[in-house]
Amino acid sequence: MHAFISSCLDYCNALFSGLNHHTLAWLQIVQNSATRLLTRTKTSTHITPVLASLHWLLVHAFRIDVQNVLNTYKALHCLAPSYFAEMLSPYKITRPLASSDQGFLAIPKSRLKSKGDC
């Protein structure tokens, strides 16, 4: 049951990374409810210690970012499927900089205007 809930919450984390706090609050409510169901905890009990006992991260703070960083690391080190690595492209620096050997990744341009676009 624990693994099933974790996999459902982690599904499509890359899509959740740009969501606002209000929308992520709904995912946090789902995670809190699943935690209470799994551990049979009362609704009056604080949920953060229960989440910590299950080694679950808060959705709105860490869970999505940690999962995305982990997937990027695996893709860069050939531990993920090849289609992940194909989506990553190194940042090409046009002039010599001290940070040119840092291994930065390029941010792809989107066709549509979104919140993250400048």
Side-chain angles (χ1 to χ4, degrees):
M1 183 77 163
H2 182 279
F4 176 72
I5 292 171
S6 293
S7 66
C8 288
L9 286 172
D10 290 339
Y11 181 71
C12 290
N13 270 342
L15 299 176
F16 298 149
S17 65
L19 295 178
N20 60 18
H21 187 70
H22 177 73
T23 307
L24 289 178
W26 287 104
L27 285 174
Q28 187 64 54
I29 290 170
V30 170
Q31 184 183 29
N32 293 350
S33 299
T35 303
R36 291 186 198 286
L37 177 72
L38 187 66
T39 60
R40 296 187 179 112
T41 308
K42 295 179 183 176
T43 55
S44 60
T45 307
H46 287 287
I47 198 67
T48 307
V50 181
L51 288 170
S53 70
L54 291 173
H55 302 285
W56 284 3
L57 298 171
L58 296 173
V59 169
H60 64 275
F62 305 109
R63 187 176 194 98
I64 294 168
D65 294 333
V66 167
Q67 203 62 27
N68 287 336
V69 168
L70 182 65
N71 286 336
T72 304
Y73 175 84
K74 286 180 177 180
L76 289 173
H77 292 88
C78 301
L79 301 172
S82 60
Y83 60 88
F84 275 134
E86 292 169 2
M87 290 189 289
L88 301 176
S89 58
Y91 180 68
K92 293 177 179 66
I93 300 173
T94 57
R95 58 180 189 231
L97 297 173
S99 62
S100 61
D101 62 344
Q102 293 293 315
F104 293 128
L105 297 173
I107 300 172
K109 302 229 188 249
S110 59
R111 289 184 291 140
L112 303 173
K113 189 74 173 170
S114 65
K115 280 187 175 180
D117 292 341
C118 297

